[in-house]
Amino acid sequence: MNEAIPQLLTYDEASLDRAFAAVAEEVRGGTSSLETSEAQEAFRLHWLGRKQGRLKLISEAWLKSAPAEARKPLGIRFNQLKQEIEAALQAPVAAAGAAVVRGIDITLPGTVRQPGIAHPLLETMQEIVRVFHHLGYSTNLGPQVETDFYNFEALNFPQNHPARDTQDTLQIADQGAKPSRDRLLMRTHTSPVQIRTMVAQAPPIRIVIPGKVHRNDAADATHSPIFHQVEGLCVDTNITFSDLKGTLDHAMKALFGSGVKTRFFPSFFPFTEPSADVQISCIFCGGKGCRKCKHSGWIELLGCGMVDPAVFASVTEERRKLGLDDDAYNPDRITGFAFGMGVERIAMIQHGISDIGQFYSGDMRFLEQFA
Ligand code: DAH
């Protein structure tokens, strides 16, 4: 390793550059193996050792015998070389560019990668879906860009009917040339997937439909123009309103605890008859009355009802167009119930969240609370 120092014969700039470049090359060759403190110490001794270090030898061989006018250019290069050697001893990365791992301290904590979590909204949506999976339901999905027919018409919302006002939506541009039933819009609810499912498949049907829906609503603490629903549909022979009540009572107890009570209030939806709003006893005050339940003791949670025969009629008409003239949805033989709930509302009640906007803010301080 300790090669002899080559002799310097000429002192012009080019010769000096060449001589020092060769030594610098030698230095760099040695830095690629500075992985342990022992290797570093050996490198330091080899180059900077006070008696036999190569820098000392170079200084003796080149500087001492140099003519006076060569002292300055020699000195400058000598100092540069020394700095390069010292830098190699400081730098964590070898001159060759390879990463140098200096002594590893295995007692230091490692780099911890934060595991991801499901978003609280998706968590609640899954939870709702799971309750129905346990009852034998399967999952269906449908498009968010929907036709007027599936979103409104087939669900018994006639053109210009005031019930459409409650679900003002966003229309896709340039649809005016199409017949109204084919015009595209952002779906306002997951109910159109009821129709898609029944057109495609004969009873018995037991499905849940989780998904994103859109409305032309201004955002406030409890509204968002984009939100999520879980829809349900059960169609078979002999399905009655008591099946609906039993199923939803069970689902509410599964979601909010076995202590909650349910009650069914008359309501209106064009696609169910009769229709009802389901309320649960207030989970904050146990039904005594508090601010959260506006002192009524009850919280309104979802809509439901028995599938309107007009809906079966629309389904049958569509199936006939597809050549499925099978009487599968004859309302004299077939009945069903449907329900739809807002995921945000349920998640807000579950977690005591008062501002819906938190779900969409992407604020880690909010999200990390669900980790
Ligand atoms: N689609 C209704 C809405 O978004 C909710 C709903 C009510 C769905 C009653 C249903 C139902 O399936 O039976 O307001």
Side-chain angles (χ1 to χ4, degrees), residues 167 188-191 194 215 227 229 231-232 269 271-272 275-276 302-306 337-341:
Q167 300 198 6
T188 57
H189 50 173
T190 42
S191 304
Q194 288 189 29
R215 292 200 190 169
F227 61 105
Q229 292 186 331
E231 186 89 12
F269 299 100
F271 44 92
T272 45
S275 303
L302 70 148
C304 65
M306 301 306 291
F337 65 76
F339 55 87
M341 56 190 102

PDB file of all heavy atoms in Angstrom, residues 167 188-191 194 215 227 229 231-232 269 271-272 275-276 302-306 337-341, ligand 1:
ATOM      1  N   GLN A 167     -84.594  16.668  -5.251  1.00  0.00           N
ATOM      2  CA  GLN A 167     -83.317  16.077  -5.660  1.00  0.00           C
ATOM      3  C   GLN A 167     -82.796  16.805  -6.892  1.00  0.00           C
ATOM      4  O   GLN A 167     -82.581  16.213  -7.941  1.00  0.00           O
ATOM      5  CB  GLN A 167     -83.489  14.582  -5.950  1.00  0.00           C
ATOM      6  CG  GLN A 167     -83.986  13.821  -4.732  1.00  0.00           C
ATOM      7  CD  GLN A 167     -83.757  12.329  -4.837  1.00  0.00           C
ATOM      8  OE1 GLN A 167     -83.137  11.846  -5.767  1.00  0.00           O
ATOM      9  NE2 GLN A 167     -84.267  11.598  -3.865  1.00  0.00           N
ATOM     10  N   THR A 188     -78.650  11.257  -8.110  1.00  0.00           N
ATOM     11  CA  THR A 188     -78.944  11.973  -6.865  1.00  0.00           C
ATOM     12  C   THR A 188     -79.123  11.015  -5.701  1.00  0.00           C
ATOM     13  O   THR A 188     -79.229  11.444  -4.554  1.00  0.00           O
ATOM     14  CB  THR A 188     -80.232  12.785  -7.013  1.00  0.00           C
ATOM     15  OG1 THR A 188     -81.287  11.877  -7.382  1.00  0.00           O
ATOM     16  CG2 THR A 188     -80.092  13.861  -8.086  1.00  0.00           C
ATOM     17  N   HIS A 189     -79.223   9.724  -6.015  1.00  0.00           N
ATOM     18  CA  HIS A 189     -79.378   8.706  -4.971  1.00  0.00           C
ATOM     19  C   HIS A 189     -78.944   7.359  -5.536  1.00  0.00           C
ATOM     20  O   HIS A 189     -78.645   7.254  -6.738  1.00  0.00           O
ATOM     21  CB  HIS A 189     -80.825   8.671  -4.434  1.00  0.00           C
ATOM     22  CG  HIS A 189     -81.913   8.592  -5.472  1.00  0.00           C
ATOM     23  ND1 HIS A 189     -83.241   8.419  -5.163  1.00  0.00           N
ATOM     24  CD2 HIS A 189     -81.868   8.635  -6.835  1.00  0.00           C
ATOM     25  CE1 HIS A 189     -83.959   8.385  -6.267  1.00  0.00           C
ATOM     26  NE2 HIS A 189     -83.150   8.509  -7.291  1.00  0.00           N
ATOM     27  N   THR A 190     -78.858   6.367  -4.678  1.00  0.00           N
ATOM     28  CA  THR A 190     -78.431   5.040  -5.141  1.00  0.00           C
ATOM     29  C   THR A 190     -79.624   4.210  -5.619  1.00  0.00           C
ATOM     30  O   THR A 190     -79.434   3.104  -6.144  1.00  0.00           O
ATOM     31  CB  THR A 190     -77.670   4.292  -4.020  1.00  0.00           C
ATOM     32  OG1 THR A 190     -78.353   4.516  -2.779  1.00  0.00           O
ATOM     33  CG2 THR A 190     -76.232   4.783  -3.905  1.00  0.00           C
ATOM     34  N   SER A 191     -80.828   4.768  -5.494  1.00  0.00           N
ATOM     35  CA  SER A 191     -82.028   4.015  -5.879  1.00  0.00           C
ATOM     36  C   SER A 191     -82.044   3.543  -7.339  1.00  0.00           C
ATOM     37  O   SER A 191     -82.625   2.484  -7.614  1.00  0.00           O
ATOM     38  CB  SER A 191     -83.281   4.841  -5.569  1.00  0.00           C
ATOM     39  OG  SER A 191     -83.296   5.219  -4.205  1.00  0.00           O
ATOM     40  N   GLN A 194     -81.503  -0.036  -7.888  1.00  0.00           N
ATOM     41  CA  GLN A 194     -82.642  -0.970  -7.696  1.00  0.00           C
ATOM     42  C   GLN A 194     -83.174  -1.403  -9.055  1.00  0.00           C
ATOM     43  O   GLN A 194     -83.392  -2.589  -9.305  1.00  0.00           O
ATOM     44  CB  GLN A 194     -83.791  -0.276  -6.960  1.00  0.00           C
ATOM     45  CG  GLN A 194     -83.590   0.017  -5.500  1.00  0.00           C
ATOM     46  CD  GLN A 194     -84.910   0.510  -4.874  1.00  0.00           C
ATOM     47  OE1 GLN A 194     -86.005   0.157  -5.320  1.00  0.00           O
ATOM     48  NE2 GLN A 194     -84.797   1.312  -3.827  1.00  0.00           N
ATOM     49  N   ARG A 215     -75.806  16.083  -5.427  1.00  0.00           N
ATOM     50  CA  ARG A 215     -76.981  16.956  -5.477  1.00  0.00           C
ATOM     51  C   ARG A 215     -76.540  18.397  -5.598  1.00  0.00           C
ATOM     52  O   ARG A 215     -75.473  18.773  -5.113  1.00  0.00           O
ATOM     53  CB  ARG A 215     -77.835  16.806  -4.220  1.00  0.00           C
ATOM     54  CG  ARG A 215     -78.472  15.440  -4.176  1.00  0.00           C
ATOM     55  CD  ARG A 215     -79.651  15.358  -3.282  1.00  0.00           C
ATOM     56  NE  ARG A 215     -80.001  13.938  -3.166  1.00  0.00           N
ATOM     57  CZ  ARG A 215     -80.848  13.437  -2.308  1.00  0.00           C
ATOM     58  NH1 ARG A 215     -81.467  14.235  -1.471  1.00  0.00           N
ATOM     59  NH2 ARG A 215     -81.094  12.151  -2.288  1.00  0.00           N
ATOM     60  N   PHE A 227     -72.131  13.150  -1.529  1.00  0.00           N
ATOM     61  CA  PHE A 227     -72.155  12.377  -0.282  1.00  0.00           C
ATOM     62  C   PHE A 227     -72.373  10.902  -0.602  1.00  0.00           C
ATOM     63  O   PHE A 227     -72.257  10.498  -1.767  1.00  0.00           O
ATOM     64  CB  PHE A 227     -73.193  12.952   0.703  1.00  0.00           C
ATOM     65  CG  PHE A 227     -74.625  12.942   0.215  1.00  0.00           C
ATOM     66  CD1 PHE A 227     -75.532  12.010   0.708  1.00  0.00           C
ATOM     67  CD2 PHE A 227     -75.069  13.858  -0.723  1.00  0.00           C
ATOM     68  CE1 PHE A 227     -76.859  11.999   0.282  1.00  0.00           C
ATOM     69  CE2 PHE A 227     -76.396  13.858  -1.156  1.00  0.00           C
ATOM     70  CZ  PHE A 227     -77.288  12.936  -0.656  1.00  0.00           C
ATOM     71  N   GLN A 229     -74.457   7.033   0.113  1.00  0.00           N
ATOM     72  CA  GLN A 229     -75.650   6.341   0.603  1.00  0.00           C
ATOM     73  C   GLN A 229     -75.423   4.839   0.587  1.00  0.00           C
ATOM     74  O   GLN A 229     -74.568   4.344  -0.146  1.00  0.00           O
ATOM     75  CB  GLN A 229     -76.853   6.640  -0.304  1.00  0.00           C
ATOM     76  CG  GLN A 229     -77.345   8.077  -0.246  1.00  0.00           C
ATOM     77  CD  GLN A 229     -78.621   8.289  -1.044  1.00  0.00           C
ATOM     78  OE1 GLN A 229     -78.872   7.591  -2.029  1.00  0.00           O
ATOM     79  NE2 GLN A 229     -79.434   9.249  -0.631  1.00  0.00           N
ATOM     80  N   GLU A 231     -78.110   1.810  -0.119  1.00  0.00           N
ATOM     81  CA  GLU A 231     -79.463   1.463  -0.515  1.00  0.00           C
ATOM     82  C   GLU A 231     -79.679  -0.016  -0.217  1.00  0.00           C
ATOM     83  O   GLU A 231     -78.722  -0.784  -0.222  1.00  0.00           O
ATOM     84  CB  GLU A 231     -79.571   1.692  -2.035  1.00  0.00           C
ATOM     85  CG  GLU A 231     -80.930   1.533  -2.632  1.00  0.00           C
ATOM     86  CD  GLU A 231     -81.689   2.852  -2.606  1.00  0.00           C
ATOM     87  OE1 GLU A 231     -81.069   3.894  -2.344  1.00  0.00           O
ATOM     88  OE2 GLU A 231     -82.908   2.810  -2.858  1.00  0.00           O
ATOM     89  N   GLY A 232     -80.921  -0.408   0.012  1.00  0.00           N
ATOM     90  CA  GLY A 232     -81.203  -1.839   0.165  1.00  0.00           C
ATOM     91  C   GLY A 232     -82.451  -2.209  -0.604  1.00  0.00           C
ATOM     92  O   GLY A 232     -83.346  -1.374  -0.785  1.00  0.00           O
ATOM     93  N   PHE A 269     -92.160   8.708  -0.603  1.00  0.00           N
ATOM     94  CA  PHE A 269     -91.185   8.592  -1.690  1.00  0.00           C
ATOM     95  C   PHE A 269     -91.958   8.071  -2.885  1.00  0.00           C
ATOM     96  O   PHE A 269     -92.836   7.214  -2.718  1.00  0.00           O
ATOM     97  CB  PHE A 269     -90.048   7.627  -1.318  1.00  0.00           C
ATOM     98  CG  PHE A 269     -89.271   8.069  -0.105  1.00  0.00           C
ATOM     99  CD1 PHE A 269     -89.530   7.497   1.138  1.00  0.00           C
ATOM    100  CD2 PHE A 269     -88.320   9.072  -0.180  1.00  0.00           C
ATOM    101  CE1 PHE A 269     -88.849   7.915   2.269  1.00  0.00           C
ATOM    102  CE2 PHE A 269     -87.637   9.502   0.948  1.00  0.00           C
ATOM    103  CZ  PHE A 269     -87.900   8.924   2.180  1.00  0.00           C
ATOM    104  N   PHE A 271     -91.273   6.045  -5.144  1.00  0.00           N
ATOM    105  CA  PHE A 271     -91.040   4.644  -5.534  1.00  0.00           C
ATOM    106  C   PHE A 271     -91.406   3.631  -4.470  1.00  0.00           C
ATOM    107  O   PHE A 271     -91.173   2.435  -4.636  1.00  0.00           O
ATOM    108  CB  PHE A 271     -89.577   4.466  -5.961  1.00  0.00           C
ATOM    109  CG  PHE A 271     -88.600   5.161  -5.034  1.00  0.00           C
ATOM    110  CD1 PHE A 271     -88.040   4.481  -3.966  1.00  0.00           C
ATOM    111  CD2 PHE A 271     -88.260   6.496  -5.234  1.00  0.00           C
ATOM    112  CE1 PHE A 271     -87.168   5.120  -3.106  1.00  0.00           C
ATOM    113  CE2 PHE A 271     -87.381   7.147  -4.369  1.00  0.00           C
ATOM    114  CZ  PHE A 271     -86.832   6.466  -3.309  1.00  0.00           C
ATOM    115  N   THR A 272     -91.963   4.106  -3.329  1.00  0.00           N
ATOM    116  CA  THR A 272     -92.427   3.160  -2.308  1.00  0.00           C
ATOM    117  C   THR A 272     -93.841   3.553  -1.873  1.00  0.00           C
ATOM    118  O   THR A 272     -94.194   4.734  -1.833  1.00  0.00           O
ATOM    119  CB  THR A 272     -91.493   3.165  -1.072  1.00  0.00           C
ATOM    120  OG1 THR A 272     -91.205   4.518  -0.720  1.00  0.00           O
ATOM    121  CG2 THR A 272     -90.216   2.404  -1.336  1.00  0.00           C
ATOM    122  N   SER A 275     -94.666   4.523   2.399  1.00  0.00           N
ATOM    123  CA  SER A 275     -93.285   4.938   2.683  1.00  0.00           C
ATOM    124  C   SER A 275     -93.175   5.321   4.152  1.00  0.00           C
ATOM    125  O   SER A 275     -94.180   5.694   4.779  1.00  0.00           O
ATOM    126  CB  SER A 275     -92.909   6.162   1.848  1.00  0.00           C
ATOM    127  OG  SER A 275     -93.077   5.923   0.470  1.00  0.00           O
ATOM    128  N   ALA A 276     -91.957   5.220   4.670  1.00  0.00           N
ATOM    129  CA  ALA A 276     -91.759   5.585   6.073  1.00  0.00           C
ATOM    130  C   ALA A 276     -90.383   6.199   6.284  1.00  0.00           C
ATOM    131  O   ALA A 276     -89.451   5.927   5.527  1.00  0.00           O
ATOM    132  CB  ALA A 276     -91.911   4.353   6.966  1.00  0.00           C
ATOM    133  N   LEU A 302     -83.314   7.220   8.265  1.00  0.00           N
ATOM    134  CA  LEU A 302     -83.369   6.722   6.889  1.00  0.00           C
ATOM    135  C   LEU A 302     -84.793   6.650   6.366  1.00  0.00           C
ATOM    136  O   LEU A 302     -85.751   6.731   7.135  1.00  0.00           O
ATOM    137  CB  LEU A 302     -82.694   5.347   6.759  1.00  0.00           C
ATOM    138  CG  LEU A 302     -83.359   4.127   7.395  1.00  0.00           C
ATOM    139  CD1 LEU A 302     -83.071   2.898   6.580  1.00  0.00           C
ATOM    140  CD2 LEU A 302     -82.867   3.926   8.802  1.00  0.00           C
ATOM    141  N   GLY A 303     -84.870   6.498   5.022  1.00  0.00           N
ATOM    142  CA  GLY A 303     -86.161   6.347   4.372  1.00  0.00           C
ATOM    143  C   GLY A 303     -86.358   4.909   3.925  1.00  0.00           C
ATOM    144  O   GLY A 303     -85.387   4.204   3.652  1.00  0.00           O
ATOM    145  N   CYS A 304     -87.612   4.497   3.845  1.00  0.00           N
ATOM    146  CA  CYS A 304     -87.874   3.119   3.426  1.00  0.00           C
ATOM    147  C   CYS A 304     -89.330   2.978   2.988  1.00  0.00           C
ATOM    148  O   CYS A 304     -90.111   3.926   3.056  1.00  0.00           O
ATOM    149  CB  CYS A 304     -87.587   2.146   4.560  1.00  0.00           C
ATOM    150  SG  CYS A 304     -88.693   2.356   5.974  1.00  0.00           S
ATOM    151  N   GLY A 305     -89.674   1.805   2.533  1.00  0.00           N
ATOM    152  CA  GLY A 305     -91.065   1.559   2.170  1.00  0.00           C
ATOM    153  C   GLY A 305     -91.196   0.285   1.365  1.00  0.00           C
ATOM    154  O   GLY A 305     -90.213  -0.400   1.078  1.00  0.00           O
ATOM    155  N   MET A 306     -92.459  -0.019   1.001  1.00  0.00           N
ATOM    156  CA  MET A 306     -92.735  -1.189   0.164  1.00  0.00           C
ATOM    157  C   MET A 306     -92.626  -0.749  -1.298  1.00  0.00           C
ATOM    158  O   MET A 306     -93.150   0.315  -1.668  1.00  0.00           O
ATOM    159  CB  MET A 306     -94.138  -1.737   0.444  1.00  0.00           C
ATOM    160  CG  MET A 306     -94.371  -2.157   1.892  1.00  0.00           C
ATOM    161  SD  MET A 306     -93.154  -3.344   2.520  1.00  0.00           S
ATOM    162  CE  MET A 306     -93.580  -4.816   1.574  1.00  0.00           C
ATOM    163  N   PHE A 337     -89.425  -4.700  -0.309  1.00  0.00           N
ATOM    164  CA  PHE A 337     -89.205  -3.442   0.406  1.00  0.00           C
ATOM    165  C   PHE A 337     -87.856  -2.867   0.011  1.00  0.00           C
ATOM    166  O   PHE A 337     -86.979  -3.586  -0.506  1.00  0.00           O
ATOM    167  CB  PHE A 337     -89.320  -3.615   1.931  1.00  0.00           C
ATOM    168  CG  PHE A 337     -88.282  -4.485   2.590  1.00  0.00           C
ATOM    169  CD1 PHE A 337     -86.985  -4.026   2.810  1.00  0.00           C
ATOM    170  CD2 PHE A 337     -88.630  -5.771   3.048  1.00  0.00           C
ATOM    171  CE1 PHE A 337     -86.047  -4.830   3.438  1.00  0.00           C
ATOM    172  CE2 PHE A 337     -87.687  -6.575   3.679  1.00  0.00           C
ATOM    173  CZ  PHE A 337     -86.392  -6.109   3.879  1.00  0.00           C
ATOM    174  N   ALA A 338     -87.729  -1.567   0.233  1.00  0.00           N
ATOM    175  CA  ALA A 338     -86.474  -0.879  -0.089  1.00  0.00           C
ATOM    176  C   ALA A 338     -86.173   0.107   1.025  1.00  0.00           C
ATOM    177  O   ALA A 338     -87.064   0.502   1.786  1.00  0.00           O
ATOM    178  CB  ALA A 338     -86.600  -0.148  -1.421  1.00  0.00           C
ATOM    179  N   PHE A 339     -84.904   0.477   1.117  1.00  0.00           N
ATOM    180  CA  PHE A 339     -84.529   1.493   2.102  1.00  0.00           C
ATOM    181  C   PHE A 339     -83.274   2.202   1.616  1.00  0.00           C
ATOM    182  O   PHE A 339     -82.548   1.686   0.758  1.00  0.00           O
ATOM    183  CB  PHE A 339     -84.282   0.863   3.489  1.00  0.00           C
ATOM    184  CG  PHE A 339     -83.261  -0.252   3.491  1.00  0.00           C
ATOM    185  CD1 PHE A 339     -81.908   0.014   3.630  1.00  0.00           C
ATOM    186  CD2 PHE A 339     -83.673  -1.572   3.346  1.00  0.00           C
ATOM    187  CE1 PHE A 339     -80.984  -1.012   3.624  1.00  0.00           C
ATOM    188  CE2 PHE A 339     -82.743  -2.602   3.337  1.00  0.00           C
ATOM    189  CZ  PHE A 339     -81.398  -2.336   3.482  1.00  0.00           C
ATOM    190  N   GLY A 340     -83.071   3.394   2.131  1.00  0.00           N
ATOM    191  CA  GLY A 340     -81.866   4.139   1.746  1.00  0.00           C
ATOM    192  C   GLY A 340     -81.417   5.006   2.900  1.00  0.00           C
ATOM    193  O   GLY A 340     -82.240   5.645   3.555  1.00  0.00           O
ATOM    194  N   MET A 341     -80.097   4.986   3.157  1.00  0.00           N
ATOM    195  CA  MET A 341     -79.596   5.791   4.280  1.00  0.00           C
ATOM    196  C   MET A 341     -78.346   6.569   3.891  1.00  0.00           C
ATOM    197  O   MET A 341     -77.596   6.162   3.002  1.00  0.00           O
ATOM    198  CB  MET A 341     -79.332   4.911   5.500  1.00  0.00           C
ATOM    199  CG  MET A 341     -78.388   3.755   5.271  1.00  0.00           C
ATOM    200  SD  MET A 341     -78.377   2.634   6.699  1.00  0.00           S
ATOM    201  CE  MET A 341     -79.406   1.281   6.118  1.00  0.00           C
TER     202      MET A 341
HETATM  203  N1  DAH B   1     -83.505   7.590  -2.419  1.00  0.00           N
HETATM  204  C1  DAH B   1     -84.005   8.289  -1.240  1.00  0.00           C
HETATM  205  C2  DAH B   1     -83.265   9.609  -1.094  1.00  0.00           C
HETATM  206  O1  DAH B   1     -82.144   9.707  -1.539  1.00  0.00           O
HETATM  207  C3  DAH B   1     -83.812   7.461   0.002  1.00  0.00           C
HETATM  208  C4  DAH B   1     -84.707   6.262   0.017  1.00  0.00           C
HETATM  209  C5  DAH B   1     -85.956   6.365   0.613  1.00  0.00           C
HETATM  210  C6  DAH B   1     -84.332   5.081  -0.577  1.00  0.00           C
HETATM  211  C7  DAH B   1     -86.815   5.281   0.617  1.00  0.00           C
HETATM  212  C8  DAH B   1     -85.197   3.982  -0.582  1.00  0.00           C
HETATM  213  C9  DAH B   1     -86.446   4.116   0.035  1.00  0.00           C
HETATM  214  O2  DAH B   1     -84.879   2.820  -1.155  1.00  0.00           O
HETATM  215  O3  DAH B   1     -87.272   3.052   0.042  1.00  0.00           O
HETATM  216  O4  DAH B   1     -83.780  10.505  -0.516  1.00  0.00           O
END
